[in-house]
Amino acid sequence: MGGTLKRISLTTWIFVGMAAGVVLGIAAPNFAKQLAPVSNVFLRLIRSIIAPLLFGTLVVGIAGGGDMKQMGRIGGKAIIYFEIVTTLALFLGLAAVNLVRPGEGVTIQRSAAEAAVPQTQTTLTTIIEHVFPTSIIDALARNDALQIVVFAFLFGAACAAIGAKAQPVVTFCSSLAEVMFRFTRYVMYLAPVGVSAAIAVTVGSKGVGVLFGLSKLIATMYVSTALCMIFILGPGLLLFGIPVAKFYRAVREPFLIGFSTASSEAALPLALENMEQFGVPKHIVGFVIPTGYSFNLVGSALYLSLASVFVAQAAGKSLTIGEQLIMMLTLMLTSKGVAGVPRAALVILAGTLATFNLPMEGVAVLLGVDALMDMARTSTNVLGNCLASAVVARWEGFKVG
């Protein structure tokens, strides 16, 4: 009971922090901009948790009950689920942008957008190569979740194969995971302050005026996000018999942290801990959620389909249904393997615009409101990955909630 009250209390404080940040950003924008270090300290502390927590949780999960055959089955089910929901999200974004047409009436200003967003070409080859670490120390230092998952997966399987001789290593990893969960709890005491600073910096630097310039696009994104949660993610709860109220209580804090900081990384430690408490086994939660941050970015998929067609509309270029479907297929492939960090979707968007000969200046238009859009897509990514772990656990026959 005390733990529940504590969680409710933290959620309430996060809401208070968000409200205070908005007020501060409007009332004292110059002061609000100076709060960036406070927000950055919170995010840095969160990121320091990710690598050891992921490694410890996954190794213990696999060595203490998982095996290669079982993990292969879990991985297959996760990929099937990832592909279904991200594809549906892409088409939801496509339907919304064609129905509302937020790009009409927006004039693209010629500017050096190419300089504002890094240009990278994501190919199937680069994605496959990136999955495998050349050095686990390097992967841990960069918090590369996907590479850590792959290494920990193989390391845990090796521990399971050796048996008793590996017990000291498994015991160490178990202790490491428990310590990092407690560490997470300490850092979460700073969440309301960190969240307040992050929101204040965004509002103070961008100004409220940015809300009105592209309000149609922002409204389309937020309404589409709500529809995505109800009609794409919602059915998963019902189909797999996941208790809605208990799931809501488990995901609300990671969701709010993802929304306010626009960083999936910031929500990851709490998402892992809460979903494990929700009843998802260690080896599933430690594998599905981090992998989902590269392959199950539901919010980013929704945003990318909406944003790419928005740019075409703003540029006055009419895309046929066939061209839009090819664009969706391209986005489906290029959005994989992208780390869940702020502004990653802009990199993918820039590459897609270049591929389809759409004006790069469109990215500059979106940059003005990207912080607001990023909050919606990141929180949806967090929610989608928490749900994916529960779905796979139920699919495997475990009781959750």
PDB file of all heavy atoms in Angstrom, residues 325-359:
ATOM      1  N   LEU A 325       2.485   4.960 -50.760  1.00  0.00           N
ATOM      2  CA  LEU A 325       2.699   3.598 -50.264  1.00  0.00           C
ATOM      3  C   LEU A 325       4.172   3.208 -50.335  1.00  0.00           C
ATOM      4  O   LEU A 325       4.709   2.568 -49.419  1.00  0.00           O
ATOM      5  CB  LEU A 325       1.847   2.594 -51.064  1.00  0.00           C
ATOM      6  CG  LEU A 325       0.334   2.672 -50.821  1.00  0.00           C
ATOM      7  CD1 LEU A 325      -0.402   1.704 -51.738  1.00  0.00           C
ATOM      8  CD2 LEU A 325      -0.004   2.378 -49.365  1.00  0.00           C
ATOM      9  N   ILE A 326       4.843   3.621 -51.428  1.00  0.00           N
ATOM     10  CA  ILE A 326       6.287   3.348 -51.544  1.00  0.00           C
ATOM     11  C   ILE A 326       7.042   4.105 -50.460  1.00  0.00           C
ATOM     12  O   ILE A 326       7.991   3.597 -49.853  1.00  0.00           O
ATOM     13  CB  ILE A 326       6.809   3.739 -52.954  1.00  0.00           C
ATOM     14  CG1 ILE A 326       6.192   2.823 -54.017  1.00  0.00           C
ATOM     15  CG2 ILE A 326       8.338   3.651 -53.008  1.00  0.00           C
ATOM     16  CD1 ILE A 326       6.434   3.260 -55.437  1.00  0.00           C
ATOM     17  N   MET A 327       6.601   5.340 -50.184  1.00  0.00           N
ATOM     18  CA  MET A 327       7.224   6.132 -49.121  1.00  0.00           C
ATOM     19  C   MET A 327       7.041   5.440 -47.769  1.00  0.00           C
ATOM     20  O   MET A 327       7.975   5.387 -46.959  1.00  0.00           O
ATOM     21  CB  MET A 327       6.602   7.534 -49.085  1.00  0.00           C
ATOM     22  CG  MET A 327       7.256   8.463 -48.074  1.00  0.00           C
ATOM     23  SD  MET A 327       6.451  10.075 -48.044  1.00  0.00           S
ATOM     24  CE  MET A 327       7.057  10.787 -49.562  1.00  0.00           C
ATOM     25  N   MET A 328       5.836   4.871 -47.529  1.00  0.00           N
ATOM     26  CA  MET A 328       5.587   4.166 -46.274  1.00  0.00           C
ATOM     27  C   MET A 328       6.487   2.939 -46.138  1.00  0.00           C
ATOM     28  O   MET A 328       7.008   2.645 -45.065  1.00  0.00           O
ATOM     29  CB  MET A 328       4.116   3.722 -46.178  1.00  0.00           C
ATOM     30  CG  MET A 328       3.100   4.831 -46.043  1.00  0.00           C
ATOM     31  SD  MET A 328       3.464   6.024 -44.735  1.00  0.00           S
ATOM     32  CE  MET A 328       4.169   7.369 -45.683  1.00  0.00           C
ATOM     33  N   LEU A 329       6.691   2.225 -47.264  1.00  0.00           N
ATOM     34  CA  LEU A 329       7.574   1.056 -47.245  1.00  0.00           C
ATOM     35  C   LEU A 329       9.004   1.477 -46.929  1.00  0.00           C
ATOM     36  O   LEU A 329       9.699   0.826 -46.136  1.00  0.00           O
ATOM     37  CB  LEU A 329       7.521   0.344 -48.608  1.00  0.00           C
ATOM     38  CG  LEU A 329       8.377  -0.921 -48.752  1.00  0.00           C
ATOM     39  CD1 LEU A 329       7.924  -1.979 -47.767  1.00  0.00           C
ATOM     40  CD2 LEU A 329       8.311  -1.458 -50.179  1.00  0.00           C
ATOM     41  N   THR A 330       9.431   2.596 -47.496  1.00  0.00           N
ATOM     42  CA  THR A 330      10.775   3.123 -47.223  1.00  0.00           C
ATOM     43  C   THR A 330      10.920   3.494 -45.753  1.00  0.00           C
ATOM     44  O   THR A 330      11.909   3.140 -45.104  1.00  0.00           O
ATOM     45  CB  THR A 330      11.046   4.372 -48.097  1.00  0.00           C
ATOM     46  OG1 THR A 330      10.854   4.035 -49.464  1.00  0.00           O
ATOM     47  CG2 THR A 330      12.475   4.875 -47.895  1.00  0.00           C
ATOM     48  N   LEU A 331       9.905   4.184 -45.225  1.00  0.00           N
ATOM     49  CA  LEU A 331       9.939   4.576 -43.815  1.00  0.00           C
ATOM     50  C   LEU A 331       9.935   3.357 -42.901  1.00  0.00           C
ATOM     51  O   LEU A 331      10.583   3.340 -41.861  1.00  0.00           O
ATOM     52  CB  LEU A 331       8.742   5.473 -43.485  1.00  0.00           C
ATOM     53  CG  LEU A 331       8.779   6.894 -44.049  1.00  0.00           C
ATOM     54  CD1 LEU A 331       7.433   7.569 -43.862  1.00  0.00           C
ATOM     55  CD2 LEU A 331       9.878   7.707 -43.393  1.00  0.00           C
ATOM     56  N   MET A 332       9.194   2.309 -43.303  1.00  0.00           N
ATOM     57  CA  MET A 332       9.119   1.086 -42.505  1.00  0.00           C
ATOM     58  C   MET A 332      10.512   0.474 -42.324  1.00  0.00           C
ATOM     59  O   MET A 332      10.847  -0.054 -41.271  1.00  0.00           O
ATOM     60  CB  MET A 332       8.189   0.084 -43.200  1.00  0.00           C
ATOM     61  CG  MET A 332       7.529  -0.914 -42.271  1.00  0.00           C
ATOM     62  SD  MET A 332       6.499  -2.080 -43.211  1.00  0.00           S
ATOM     63  CE  MET A 332       5.384  -0.972 -44.042  1.00  0.00           C
ATOM     64  N   LEU A 333      11.327   0.565 -43.390  1.00  0.00           N
ATOM     65  CA  LEU A 333      12.673  -0.002 -43.338  1.00  0.00           C
ATOM     66  C   LEU A 333      13.668   0.945 -42.672  1.00  0.00           C
ATOM     67  O   LEU A 333      14.448   0.543 -41.809  1.00  0.00           O
ATOM     68  CB  LEU A 333      13.151  -0.341 -44.760  1.00  0.00           C
ATOM     69  CG  LEU A 333      12.360  -1.436 -45.485  1.00  0.00           C
ATOM     70  CD1 LEU A 333      12.807  -1.538 -46.933  1.00  0.00           C
ATOM     71  CD2 LEU A 333      12.523  -2.779 -44.783  1.00  0.00           C
ATOM     72  N   THR A 334      13.632   2.218 -43.058  1.00  0.00           N
ATOM     73  CA  THR A 334      14.653   3.157 -42.573  1.00  0.00           C
ATOM     74  C   THR A 334      14.453   3.556 -41.116  1.00  0.00           C
ATOM     75  O   THR A 334      15.395   3.999 -40.460  1.00  0.00           O
ATOM     76  CB  THR A 334      14.689   4.445 -43.427  1.00  0.00           C
ATOM     77  OG1 THR A 334      13.386   5.029 -43.448  1.00  0.00           O
ATOM     78  CG2 THR A 334      15.122   4.144 -44.846  1.00  0.00           C
ATOM     79  N   SER A 335      13.222   3.388 -40.591  1.00  0.00           N
ATOM     80  CA  SER A 335      12.998   3.764 -39.191  1.00  0.00           C
ATOM     81  C   SER A 335      13.487   2.693 -38.224  1.00  0.00           C
ATOM     82  O   SER A 335      13.495   2.906 -37.022  1.00  0.00           O
ATOM     83  CB  SER A 335      11.509   4.041 -38.942  1.00  0.00           C
ATOM     84  OG  SER A 335      10.744   2.874 -39.163  1.00  0.00           O
ATOM     85  N   LYS A 336      13.907   1.535 -38.733  1.00  0.00           N
ATOM     86  CA  LYS A 336      14.421   0.487 -37.852  1.00  0.00           C
ATOM     87  C   LYS A 336      15.863   0.798 -37.461  1.00  0.00           C
ATOM     88  O   LYS A 336      16.631   1.370 -38.232  1.00  0.00           O
ATOM     89  CB  LYS A 336      14.380  -0.891 -38.543  1.00  0.00           C
ATOM     90  CG  LYS A 336      13.032  -1.289 -39.086  1.00  0.00           C
ATOM     91  CD  LYS A 336      11.959  -1.295 -38.026  1.00  0.00           C
ATOM     92  CE  LYS A 336      10.620  -1.734 -38.589  1.00  0.00           C
ATOM     93  NZ  LYS A 336       9.521  -1.425 -37.696  1.00  0.00           N
ATOM     94  N   GLY A 337      16.231   0.390 -36.292  1.00  0.00           N
ATOM     95  CA  GLY A 337      17.618   0.548 -35.846  1.00  0.00           C
ATOM     96  C   GLY A 337      17.983   1.958 -35.439  1.00  0.00           C
ATOM     97  O   GLY A 337      19.140   2.285 -35.278  1.00  0.00           O
ATOM     98  N   VAL A 338      16.951   2.817 -35.257  1.00  0.00           N
ATOM     99  CA  VAL A 338      17.230   4.186 -34.817  1.00  0.00           C
ATOM    100  C   VAL A 338      17.080   4.256 -33.310  1.00  0.00           C
ATOM    101  O   VAL A 338      16.066   3.861 -32.750  1.00  0.00           O
ATOM    102  CB  VAL A 338      16.259   5.193 -35.487  1.00  0.00           C
ATOM    103  CG1 VAL A 338      16.501   6.591 -34.965  1.00  0.00           C
ATOM    104  CG2 VAL A 338      16.442   5.151 -36.983  1.00  0.00           C
ATOM    105  N   ALA A 339      18.083   4.743 -32.637  1.00  0.00           N
ATOM    106  CA  ALA A 339      18.032   4.829 -31.171  1.00  0.00           C
ATOM    107  C   ALA A 339      16.914   5.759 -30.741  1.00  0.00           C
ATOM    108  O   ALA A 339      16.628   6.754 -31.397  1.00  0.00           O
ATOM    109  CB  ALA A 339      19.365   5.326 -30.628  1.00  0.00           C
ATOM    110  N   GLY A 340      16.288   5.450 -29.591  1.00  0.00           N
ATOM    111  CA  GLY A 340      15.177   6.270 -29.102  1.00  0.00           C
ATOM    112  C   GLY A 340      15.668   7.491 -28.365  1.00  0.00           C
ATOM    113  O   GLY A 340      15.464   7.617 -27.168  1.00  0.00           O
ATOM    114  N   VAL A 341      16.324   8.394 -29.079  1.00  0.00           N
ATOM    115  CA  VAL A 341      16.837   9.616 -28.461  1.00  0.00           C
ATOM    116  C   VAL A 341      16.177  10.824 -29.130  1.00  0.00           C
ATOM    117  O   VAL A 341      15.647  10.711 -30.229  1.00  0.00           O
ATOM    118  CB  VAL A 341      18.379   9.714 -28.615  1.00  0.00           C
ATOM    119  CG1 VAL A 341      19.048   8.603 -27.832  1.00  0.00           C
ATOM    120  CG2 VAL A 341      18.816   9.633 -30.071  1.00  0.00           C
ATOM    121  N   PRO A 342      16.190  11.985 -28.478  1.00  0.00           N
ATOM    122  CA  PRO A 342      15.532  13.152 -29.057  1.00  0.00           C
ATOM    123  C   PRO A 342      16.012  13.474 -30.458  1.00  0.00           C
ATOM    124  O   PRO A 342      17.193  13.383 -30.764  1.00  0.00           O
ATOM    125  CB  PRO A 342      15.910  14.279 -28.084  1.00  0.00           C
ATOM    126  CG  PRO A 342      16.149  13.595 -26.793  1.00  0.00           C
ATOM    127  CD  PRO A 342      16.753  12.265 -27.154  1.00  0.00           C
ATOM    128  N   ARG A 343      15.079  13.809 -31.327  1.00  0.00           N
ATOM    129  CA  ARG A 343      15.318  14.283 -32.701  1.00  0.00           C
ATOM    130  C   ARG A 343      15.786  13.196 -33.671  1.00  0.00           C
ATOM    131  O   ARG A 343      16.094  13.494 -34.817  1.00  0.00           O
ATOM    132  CB  ARG A 343      16.333  15.443 -32.738  1.00  0.00           C
ATOM    133  CG  ARG A 343      16.106  16.537 -31.702  1.00  0.00           C
ATOM    134  CD  ARG A 343      14.786  17.267 -31.916  1.00  0.00           C
ATOM    135  NE  ARG A 343      14.623  18.288 -30.896  1.00  0.00           N
ATOM    136  CZ  ARG A 343      13.893  18.132 -29.797  1.00  0.00           C
ATOM    137  NH1 ARG A 343      13.278  17.005 -29.561  1.00  0.00           N
ATOM    138  NH2 ARG A 343      13.786  19.111 -28.927  1.00  0.00           N
ATOM    139  N   ALA A 344      15.828  11.932 -33.258  1.00  0.00           N
ATOM    140  CA  ALA A 344      16.266  10.880 -34.181  1.00  0.00           C
ATOM    141  C   ALA A 344      15.333  10.796 -35.385  1.00  0.00           C
ATOM    142  O   ALA A 344      15.775  10.526 -36.501  1.00  0.00           O
ATOM    143  CB  ALA A 344      16.327   9.534 -33.460  1.00  0.00           C
ATOM    144  N   ALA A 345      14.034  11.043 -35.180  1.00  0.00           N
ATOM    145  CA  ALA A 345      13.065  10.952 -36.270  1.00  0.00           C
ATOM    146  C   ALA A 345      13.352  11.980 -37.363  1.00  0.00           C
ATOM    147  O   ALA A 345      13.084  11.732 -38.549  1.00  0.00           O
ATOM    148  CB  ALA A 345      11.646  11.139 -35.728  1.00  0.00           C
ATOM    149  N   LEU A 346      13.918  13.134 -36.992  1.00  0.00           N
ATOM    150  CA  LEU A 346      14.233  14.159 -37.991  1.00  0.00           C
ATOM    151  C   LEU A 346      15.304  13.686 -38.966  1.00  0.00           C
ATOM    152  O   LEU A 346      15.289  14.049 -40.140  1.00  0.00           O
ATOM    153  CB  LEU A 346      14.687  15.453 -37.300  1.00  0.00           C
ATOM    154  CG  LEU A 346      13.580  16.364 -36.762  1.00  0.00           C
ATOM    155  CD1 LEU A 346      14.184  17.579 -36.093  1.00  0.00           C
ATOM    156  CD2 LEU A 346      12.627  16.787 -37.871  1.00  0.00           C
ATOM    157  N   VAL A 347      16.233  12.878 -38.451  1.00  0.00           N
ATOM    158  CA  VAL A 347      17.287  12.345 -39.321  1.00  0.00           C
ATOM    159  C   VAL A 347      16.670  11.443 -40.385  1.00  0.00           C
ATOM    160  O   VAL A 347      16.992  11.528 -41.570  1.00  0.00           O
ATOM    161  CB  VAL A 347      18.332  11.568 -38.487  1.00  0.00           C
ATOM    162  CG1 VAL A 347      19.407  10.974 -39.389  1.00  0.00           C
ATOM    163  CG2 VAL A 347      18.966  12.480 -37.448  1.00  0.00           C
ATOM    164  N   ILE A 348      15.777  10.558 -39.958  1.00  0.00           N
ATOM    165  CA  ILE A 348      15.099   9.650 -40.880  1.00  0.00           C
ATOM    166  C   ILE A 348      14.239  10.431 -41.862  1.00  0.00           C
ATOM    167  O   ILE A 348      14.212  10.146 -43.060  1.00  0.00           O
ATOM    168  CB  ILE A 348      14.219   8.648 -40.103  1.00  0.00           C
ATOM    169  CG1 ILE A 348      15.089   7.779 -39.187  1.00  0.00           C
ATOM    170  CG2 ILE A 348      13.417   7.771 -41.051  1.00  0.00           C
ATOM    171  CD1 ILE A 348      16.140   6.978 -39.902  1.00  0.00           C
ATOM    172  N   LEU A 349      13.528  11.455 -41.358  1.00  0.00           N
ATOM    173  CA  LEU A 349      12.681  12.279 -42.215  1.00  0.00           C
ATOM    174  C   LEU A 349      13.509  12.971 -43.295  1.00  0.00           C
ATOM    175  O   LEU A 349      13.124  12.990 -44.461  1.00  0.00           O
ATOM    176  CB  LEU A 349      11.937  13.319 -41.374  1.00  0.00           C
ATOM    177  CG  LEU A 349      11.042  14.289 -42.157  1.00  0.00           C
ATOM    178  CD1 LEU A 349       9.931  13.550 -42.882  1.00  0.00           C
ATOM    179  CD2 LEU A 349      10.455  15.345 -41.228  1.00  0.00           C
ATOM    180  N   ALA A 350      14.655  13.521 -42.904  1.00  0.00           N
ATOM    181  CA  ALA A 350      15.526  14.212 -43.866  1.00  0.00           C
ATOM    182  C   ALA A 350      15.968  13.266 -44.979  1.00  0.00           C
ATOM    183  O   ALA A 350      15.974  13.627 -46.162  1.00  0.00           O
ATOM    184  CB  ALA A 350      16.743  14.787 -43.143  1.00  0.00           C
ATOM    185  N   GLY A 351      16.326  12.039 -44.598  1.00  0.00           N
ATOM    186  CA  GLY A 351      16.743  11.049 -45.594  1.00  0.00           C
ATOM    187  C   GLY A 351      15.607  10.679 -46.528  1.00  0.00           C
ATOM    188  O   GLY A 351      15.807  10.513 -47.739  1.00  0.00           O
ATOM    189  N   THR A 352      14.393  10.574 -45.993  1.00  0.00           N
ATOM    190  CA  THR A 352      13.221  10.215 -46.805  1.00  0.00           C
ATOM    191  C   THR A 352      12.878  11.333 -47.789  1.00  0.00           C
ATOM    192  O   THR A 352      12.569  11.081 -48.950  1.00  0.00           O
ATOM    193  CB  THR A 352      12.005   9.931 -45.893  1.00  0.00           C
ATOM    194  OG1 THR A 352      12.364   8.918 -44.964  1.00  0.00           O
ATOM    195  CG2 THR A 352      10.806   9.475 -46.707  1.00  0.00           C
ATOM    196  N   LEU A 353      12.937  12.574 -47.321  1.00  0.00           N
ATOM    197  CA  LEU A 353      12.654  13.714 -48.207  1.00  0.00           C
ATOM    198  C   LEU A 353      13.645  13.752 -49.367  1.00  0.00           C
ATOM    199  O   LEU A 353      13.262  14.003 -50.515  1.00  0.00           O
ATOM    200  CB  LEU A 353      12.715  15.031 -47.419  1.00  0.00           C
ATOM    201  CG  LEU A 353      11.663  15.233 -46.322  1.00  0.00           C
ATOM    202  CD1 LEU A 353      11.846  16.594 -45.661  1.00  0.00           C
ATOM    203  CD2 LEU A 353      10.254  15.090 -46.864  1.00  0.00           C
ATOM    204  N   ALA A 354      14.913  13.487 -49.057  1.00  0.00           N
ATOM    205  CA  ALA A 354      15.941  13.479 -50.110  1.00  0.00           C
ATOM    206  C   ALA A 354      15.678  12.356 -51.120  1.00  0.00           C
ATOM    207  O   ALA A 354      15.804  12.547 -52.337  1.00  0.00           O
ATOM    208  CB  ALA A 354      17.319  13.308 -49.484  1.00  0.00           C
ATOM    209  N   THR A 355      15.289  11.190 -50.624  1.00  0.00           N
ATOM    210  CA  THR A 355      15.018  10.041 -51.496  1.00  0.00           C
ATOM    211  C   THR A 355      13.873  10.328 -52.461  1.00  0.00           C
ATOM    212  O   THR A 355      13.925   9.933 -53.629  1.00  0.00           O
ATOM    213  CB  THR A 355      14.660   8.794 -50.642  1.00  0.00           C
ATOM    214  OG1 THR A 355      15.744   8.521 -49.759  1.00  0.00           O
ATOM    215  CG2 THR A 355      14.399   7.579 -51.510  1.00  0.00           C
ATOM    216  N   PHE A 356      12.848  11.019 -51.999  1.00  0.00           N
ATOM    217  CA  PHE A 356      11.673  11.275 -52.818  1.00  0.00           C
ATOM    218  C   PHE A 356      11.666  12.680 -53.435  1.00  0.00           C
ATOM    219  O   PHE A 356      10.630  13.160 -53.879  1.00  0.00           O
ATOM    220  CB  PHE A 356      10.403  11.042 -51.996  1.00  0.00           C
ATOM    221  CG  PHE A 356      10.151   9.599 -51.722  1.00  0.00           C
ATOM    222  CD1 PHE A 356      10.715   8.978 -50.611  1.00  0.00           C
ATOM    223  CD2 PHE A 356       9.394   8.822 -52.593  1.00  0.00           C
ATOM    224  CE1 PHE A 356      10.504   7.637 -50.358  1.00  0.00           C
ATOM    225  CE2 PHE A 356       9.183   7.479 -52.351  1.00  0.00           C
ATOM    226  CZ  PHE A 356       9.742   6.871 -51.236  1.00  0.00           C
ATOM    227  N   ASN A 357      12.848  13.309 -53.421  1.00  0.00           N
ATOM    228  CA  ASN A 357      13.019  14.601 -54.070  1.00  0.00           C
ATOM    229  C   ASN A 357      12.043  15.658 -53.561  1.00  0.00           C
ATOM    230  O   ASN A 357      11.540  16.486 -54.319  1.00  0.00           O
ATOM    231  CB  ASN A 357      12.879  14.444 -55.599  1.00  0.00           C
ATOM    232  CG  ASN A 357      13.510  15.604 -56.348  1.00  0.00           C
ATOM    233  OD1 ASN A 357      14.466  16.220 -55.854  1.00  0.00           O
ATOM    234  ND2 ASN A 357      12.989  15.921 -57.521  1.00  0.00           N
ATOM    235  N   LEU A 358      11.793  15.625 -52.268  1.00  0.00           N
ATOM    236  CA  LEU A 358      10.971  16.654 -51.625  1.00  0.00           C
ATOM    237  C   LEU A 358      11.898  17.693 -51.006  1.00  0.00           C
ATOM    238  O   LEU A 358      13.024  17.367 -50.627  1.00  0.00           O
ATOM    239  CB  LEU A 358      10.082  16.022 -50.542  1.00  0.00           C
ATOM    240  CG  LEU A 358       8.960  15.121 -51.069  1.00  0.00           C
ATOM    241  CD1 LEU A 358       8.315  14.353 -49.932  1.00  0.00           C
ATOM    242  CD2 LEU A 358       7.911  15.925 -51.828  1.00  0.00           C
ATOM    243  N   PRO A 359      11.462  18.948 -50.915  1.00  0.00           N
ATOM    244  CA  PRO A 359      12.361  20.011 -50.445  1.00  0.00           C
ATOM    245  C   PRO A 359      12.827  19.819 -49.002  1.00  0.00           C
ATOM    246  O   PRO A 359      12.020  19.641 -48.090  1.00  0.00           O
ATOM    247  CB  PRO A 359      11.516  21.285 -50.575  1.00  0.00           C
ATOM    248  CG  PRO A 359      10.108  20.811 -50.611  1.00  0.00           C
ATOM    249  CD  PRO A 359      10.125  19.463 -51.253  1.00  0.00           C
TER     250      PRO A 359
END
